[in-house]
Amino acid sequence: MFLKVESHKIRNFNNLFKQLRISCAREHSTNSDIPTVTTEFAPRKLLFESKYLKPRQVWLESLDTIDERKLGILELHPTVFGANPRIDIIHQNVRWQTLYRYVSFAHTKLRFEVRGGGKKPWPQKGLGRARHGSIRSPLFKGGGVVHGPRSPTPHFFMLPFYTRLHGLTSTLSVKFAQDDLHIVDSLELPSDEPQYITELVKSRLWGPSVLFVDCSDIMPRNITAATDSIKHFNLMPYYGLNVYSMLKHDTLVLTRAALDIIEEKILNNFHRHDPSFLKKFKVNQV
Amino acid sequence: MSGSKEKALNLLRYLPRISLTNIRDNPGAKMARKRGRAQHGGDKHGDGNKGSGQRQNFMRLGYETGNNPFYLRFPKEPYYKGHHLKRQYPPLSLLELQKLVDLNRIDPTKPVDLVAIINSGMYKMSVDQHHFGVNLTDEGFEIFEAKINLEVQWASEPVIAAIEKAGGVVTTAYYDPHSLQAIVNTKKFFERGIPIPRRMMPPADAIEFYSSAANRGYLADPEEISKERFALAQKYGYLLKRIEDDPDYEMLIQRKDPRQIFFGLNPGWIVNLKDKVILKPTDEELLEYYAS
Amino acid sequence: MIRNIFSLTRSIPYLVQSKPWAPLNAKNLVSVTLQRSFSLIQTPTVSLLKNSIANPATETIRTVTKYSIKKGKRKSVKAVRGRFYRLAWGGWIRRLAGCHKKMWKKRGPRRRRLRQHVLCNATQSRLLDSMVGSYWRRRKYYVDDPYEPYHVREEFQYTAMKPKPYFPPEQ
């Protein structure tokens, strides 16, 4: 598809970039016009550039049409998208995510909780039987359990900060390495039919399940309406990005603005020099 | 290092998609908990037979079943006499200070005091452990070449010589524990909402140290200090340039008042971080008190 | 009961800036004397008879309190504190037994040997560590400390703190 570039709509590269950022703060427009995108786009400026690591490159795509349309090449920071794919760290993160909120309601009764067993069953001496004090002792059938589960048992724990951070970078690197990461200019769709988005995903051979990540929690109307009924297409703001969701969904689609924020936050956390934030996590002092 | 990373990422392109079902921990990461049962670890579970050990009725630590125990055999010695009164100065070497300046953790274009050193994040002290500030040690004496206006709490002669040889200036100043609490966690102190206190004078055993020019004390006569600077240059054999001719003269001459804790903030002021406002006292009595 | 109160005023002169917050200058300085009053109170003499009766408050306690009544903290055994000194690397030193006794019959070399402070062995050090609280096991940074050179053992690789300089192989 060929876009006619109207001269009065050609803007400065910086303004275009700023427009993309500001649009996330405002409510998205309800009309479903195909946004006019210039054939040229602003290249990304990487924070904390490394002299020794090469930046990764990814296509900038669009959701305007069902067929793939590449708008250009963007650079990704190697620390975030070219990190060591630590499977064990990913596993630890997934385990943490599932376990920290888990409360076990399994319960067994102790010997004093089991009904009965207050009386000495038979005299101490004379019967030739073993000596016992109560029929509900753990030795007896039907007696109390000594070290059994006691409900409710929380399994809350906090994974160390940098393990969680490396979990995110490992997963993003894995997604990028396995061609499951796509960068999109924005989540504006031309139509709000679920048909449109399913055909789009199918034609581009994106995985059965797709996670769309944007920079704000208020998403464009069309995509919200389209994905509402489809359970395997999910929308997420940037702050909801987590290892479990990224692995659960086959494909990860980030908007350019979301990519900027995610990279900025991850890199800032890697380059912090004050360890005051590493104090022991206390639930009542969040 | 990067070779293995690249290899791993390239491998992933040909391996199945990583999902929740094909991830695991590194082998050996988790050790299976062994229950003590039967011959190994079981039976008496490491307690032995009868006696105080198995019956968990142990003798007190150090007891030697009646004879004169080890810890009572020797004469007393006043090793720890006055330990609770002695001041401690966690050390910071000249080498470490040079590193901080080189790695931009300390800005040498401004006066460097205890606040700046703590803010660099590489020096820790805790007031409740009787720590009173920085003791600048002479490790790195040969390689020190940063020109800074430094304020520490304790410095020996070779250290002072090293700093002055590099063209800098050093002062030793005393901070009392209340001032130190304000310095060590400034944000927490400002959130308390109390006025910045006056720095107290050094105690009797320290006042001599901080009044002598040889130690570059903050209470010493500046004329004496310049004499000592000259004498030290002669002793250690380096050329002492006139400080007035130095382009950073204005910065090097900055000193705190003996009652001042922070540069740019006077005692009696209240810093409101939330509204980003400084409240200053207007009452005459208060002004007189804080200026004394 | 006799109480004698003696007061002494000691004046400590020092220099203070007349204009605070201004650059330190000889012109700005003003001599101020700090007045301090010290008072001495003589305690009355107590009859010696009182101390002969065993007082529960003065009985020696040799046990290690693992959880104190009021704060739930571990307490030290005072006997250990009075006789031993802990070095930062975990070693403990002590005086030799009899270093003050019957010196008149001990000749020079023997007296010299008794004057030495001696290290305790590993088992003893471990025992002493468990008999004192965490405050005593923490590193102390005194200035002009006579024991300063003994708090560090650089010659042993196990206790060395500073990294060794690396010299690349000559080729």
Side-chain angles (χ1 to χ4, degrees):
Chain A
M1 191 175 124
F2 179 74
L3 257 184
K4 198 177 169 188
V5 175
E6 283 145 313
S7 55
H8 67 273
K9 283 191 181 154
I10 293 172
R11 287 189 181 84
N12 199 0
F13 298 152
N14 287 335
N15 284 347
L16 179 70
F17 185 60
K18 273 184 200 165
Q19 281 243 308
L20 283 169
R21 276 218 155 147
I22 293 162
S23 67
C24 282
R26 280 190 261 117
E27 220 184 280
H28 287 276
S29 53
T30 48
N31 60 31
S32 54
D33 287 338
I34 299 167
T36 50
V37 181
T38 53
T39 48
E40 288 160 294
F41 64 98
R44 289 192 72 228
K45 189 174 183 288
L46 299 177
L47 297 168
F48 300 106
E49 269 188 57
S50 169
K51 275 195 280 184
Y52 309 103
L53 299 170
K54 288 186 296 178
R56 309 294 142 137
Q57 291 183 324
V58 74
W59 286 111
L60 177 65
E61 294 161 46
S62 179
L63 295 176
D64 310 338
T65 52
I66 287 176
D67 294 323
E68 228 171 357
R69 196 165 67 89
K70 296 184 164 82
L71 299 173
I73 293 178
L74 292 178
E75 286 199 330
L76 299 175
H77 201 287
T79 315
V80 181
F81 291 93
N84 198 6
R86 289 281 302 269
I87 308 299
D88 62 315
I89 291 183
I90 294 173
H91 165 83
Q92 281 172 30
N93 272 268
V94 167
R95 180 175 173 265
W96 171 67
Q97 280 189 259
T98 31
L99 208 53
Y100 81 89
R101 63 187 93 184
Y102 172 63
V103 178
S104 164
F105 292 103
H107 185 70
T108 53
K109 288 185 166 56
L110 294 171
R111 60 183 285 174
F112 68 88
E113 287 170 349
V114 182
R115 195 168 172 94
K119 198 172 80 158
K120 195 170 169 63
W122 47 78
Q124 180 83 352
K125 300 183 80 61
L127 292 181
R129 298 198 68 177
R131 51 193 178 182
H132 287 292
S134 139
I135 52 161
R136 299 301 185 208
S137 90
L139 270 54
F140 273 84
K141 171 185 172 299
V145 179
V146 185
H147 290 304
R150 301 288 291 164
S151 138
T153 314
H155 287 75
F156 173 81
F157 69 103
M158 282 310 283
L159 208 58
F161 182 84
Y162 286 106
T163 314
R164 286 181 273 141
L165 195 61
H166 281 292
L168 282 173
T169 55
S170 287
T171 323
L172 286 166
S173 307
V174 157
K175 283 286 173 210
F176 176 70
Q178 297 193 314
D179 292 331
D180 287 327
L181 179 73
H182 300 276
I183 312 292
V184 172
D185 54 349
S186 84
L187 294 183
E188 305 264 15
L189 296 183
S191 103
D192 63 354
E193 292 291 312
Q195 185 85 10
Y196 176 82
I197 192 91
T198 40
E199 275 183 36
L200 186 149
V201 167
K202 218 171 177 180
S203 76
R204 298 187 192 198
L205 298 175
W206 289 1
S209 55
V210 182
L211 181 66
F212 296 94
V213 179
D214 200 2
C215 61
S216 88
D217 34 17
I218 300 168
M219 303 283 176
R221 187 199 167 274
N222 282 353
I223 195 162
T224 320
T227 56
D228 195 40
S229 51
I230 308 168
K231 291 193 178 169
H232 47 275
F233 294 154
N234 288 309
L235 307 174
M236 191 183 264
Y238 75 93
Y239 54 79
L241 195 70
N242 62 90
V243 173
Y244 187 93
S245 296
M246 282 199 273
L247 290 181
K248 191 163 169 65
H249 296 83
D250 299 299
T251 313
L252 178 66
V253 174
L254 302 175
T255 54
R256 191 180 164 155
L259 170 68
D260 287 331
I261 296 182
I262 289 165
E263 230 185 54
E264 184 198 323
K265 288 210 176 279
I266 290 177
L267 289 168
N268 281 340
N269 275 308
F270 269 127
H271 292 263
R272 285 172 96 141
H273 68 91
D274 61 321
S276 57
F277 69 101
L278 283 174
K279 278 187 207 155
K280 199 175 172 183
F281 182 85
K282 285 181 182 149
V283 182
N284 65 346
Q285 282 178 21
V286 172
Chain B
M1 195 170 67
S2 61
S4 67
K5 221 192 291 187
E6 299 295 326
K7 274 188 200 166
L9 289 167
N10 284 329
L11 253 181
L12 280 174
R13 297 182 68 73
Y14 303 101
L15 290 171
R17 184 183 273 134
I18 289 178
S19 73
L20 295 169
T21 51
N22 54 17
I23 46 172
R24 60 153 196 177
D25 233 332
N26 282 338
K30 291 269 156 64
M31 272 185 75
R33 208 181 289 176
K34 286 185 190 156
R35 298 167 80 231
R37 294 287 180 267
Q39 187 182 15
H40 301 288
D43 198 0
K44 288 174 277 295
H45 292 264
D47 281 330
N49 261 322
K50 297 196 215 178
S52 64
Q54 195 175 34
R55 292 173 180 153
Q56 309 296 317
N57 182 18
F58 300 101
M59 288 167 272
R60 61 169 187 263
L61 262 177
Y63 184 64
E64 289 177 23
T65 61
N67 61 326
N68 197 22
F70 168 77
Y71 71 98
L72 287 178
R73 275 186 215 159
F74 310 107
K76 287 196 177 178
E77 173 78 7
Y79 288 119
Y80 289 113
K81 189 178 177 187
H83 75 94
H84 62 295
L85 300 166
K86 282 194 203 150
R87 290 178 299 278
Q88 293 179 41
Y89 299 91
L92 180 76
S93 63
L94 278 171
L95 178 68
E96 187 66 35
L97 185 62
Q98 181 68 53
K99 269 194 240 172
L100 293 176
V101 168
D102 288 339
L103 298 170
N104 298 323
R105 283 187 184 262
I106 280 178
D107 187 7
T109 59
K110 290 185 196 163
V112 176
D113 63 339
L114 181 61
V115 181
I117 293 169
I118 288 175
N119 282 345
S120 73
M122 302 299 284
Y123 178 80
K124 292 275 164 14
M125 57 167 272
S126 52
V127 189
D128 49 331
Q129 298 296 321
H130 308 288
H131 292 170
F132 276 74
V134 173
N135 170 18
L136 207 51
T137 55
D138 54 6
E139 189 199 342
F141 162 82
E142 309 89 21
I143 55 128
F144 191 80
E145 37 172 56
K147 187 167 89 169
I148 41 169
N149 174 357
L150 189 61
E151 191 197 65
V152 287
Q153 279 63 56
W154 198 276
S156 56
E157 197 188 60
V159 161
I160 296 168
I163 294 172
E164 289 178 353
K165 185 178 177 184
V169 146
V170 62
T171 322
T172 46
Y174 173 80
Y175 289 88
D176 61 288
H178 286 291
S179 316
L180 286 168
Q181 272 199 326
I183 289 171
V184 164
N185 199 343
T186 320
K187 183 162 176 276
K188 197 171 175 180
F189 172 75
F190 288 150
E191 281 169 6
R192 284 169 68 189
I194 53 169
I196 294 171
R198 293 185 308 168
R199 217 204 302 175
M200 289 291 121
M201 282 293 130
D205 54 354
I207 206 145
E208 209 188 297
F209 179 87
Y210 290 109
S211 313
S212 88
N215 301 323
R216 307 290 185 275
Y218 72 128
L219 299 171
D221 189 1
E223 276 187 26
E224 293 287 318
I225 289 178
S226 37
K227 281 186 201 165
E228 288 289 338
R229 275 168 61 89
F230 183 68
L232 203 66
Q234 302 256 294
K235 183 174 177 182
Y236 281 80
Y238 56 87
L239 187 67
L240 186 73
K241 296 170 201 160
R242 266 169 61 86
I243 200 162
E244 287 86 351
D245 300 338
D246 200 301
D248 296 322
Y249 175 68
E250 287 298 318
M251 184 274 287
L252 290 172
I253 209 70
Q254 273 189 53
R255 295 283 189 289
K256 284 187 203 170
D257 182 82
R259 293 287 197 196
Q260 197 181 8
I261 302 175
F262 302 106
F263 270 119
L265 293 173
N266 298 357
W269 292 2
I270 303 176
V271 175
N272 187 339
L273 287 174
K274 197 171 178 200
D275 305 328
K276 307 228 166 101
V277 145
I278 295 177
L279 305 163
K280 302 179 189 179
T282 50
D283 191 38
E284 261 184 47
E285 211 180 308
L286 280 174
L287 286 169
E288 216 183 287
Y289 170 74
Y290 283 117
S292 61
Chain C
M1 283 216 293
I2 307 156
R3 262 205 184 152
N4 296 320
I5 302 166
F6 300 94
S7 66
L8 298 157
T9 47
R10 212 185 273 181
S11 53
I12 301 161
Y14 71 97
L15 295 164
V16 139
Q17 277 184 276
S18 59
K19 283 184 212 166
W21 345 126
L24 196 69
N25 214 330
K27 297 177 202 168
N28 289 346
L29 292 170
V30 156
S31 179
V32 162
T33 50
L34 185 78
Q35 297 290 333
R36 279 225 180 121
S37 7
F38 299 93
S39 55
L40 293 165
I41 303 168
Q42 259 188 354
T43 49
T45 51
V46 184
S47 82
L48 292 164
L49 279 170
K50 272 192 185 172
N51 290 336
S52 63
I53 304 160
N55 192 359
T58 57
E59 265 177 16
T60 48
I61 305 160
R62 300 279 184 226
T63 47
V64 169
T65 307
K66 297 199 177 171
Y67 300 99
S68 65
I69 285 273
K70 285 195 179 161
K71 296 224 173 166
K73 289 185 191 178
R74 199 177 172 106
K75 288 196 178 182
S76 318
V77 178
K78 299 272 171 48
V80 169
R81 255 207 270 157
R83 282 162 242 262
F84 301 86
Y85 184 72
R86 190 175 191 277
L87 302 169
W89 49 272
W92 288 79
I93 58 171
R94 60 171 173 84
R95 292 305 296 266
L96 284 165
C99 62
H100 301 302
K101 306 285 278 179
K102 303 187 175 91
M103 300 309 280
W104 56 269
K105 57 162 121 169
K106 290 168 183 167
R107 292 300 195 101
R110 191 172 172 191
R111 282 196 196 184
R112 199 183 316 118
R113 282 195 295 274
L114 283 172
R115 257 184 274 134
Q116 314 291 335
H117 293 241
V118 162
L119 280 164
C120 303
N121 74 24
T123 323
Q124 293 159 354
S125 298
R126 202 190 151 94
L127 171 72
L128 296 172
D129 270 341
S130 59
M131 289 173 89
V132 295
S134 56
Y135 172 82
W136 304 96
R137 282 177 254 133
R138 217 166 290 190
R139 179 75 203 261
K140 303 284 186 292
Y141 300 106
Y142 301 121
V143 283
D144 305 330
D145 184 16
Y147 302 103
E148 207 198 292
Y150 305 101
H151 286 297
V152 172
R153 284 205 302 180
E154 284 296 319
E155 55 272 16
F156 296 108
Q157 203 256 324
Y158 186 74
T159 49
M161 300 289 276
K162 293 174 200 163
K164 272 190 162 173
Y166 169 68
F167 299 106
E170 286 170 37
Q171 275 182 359

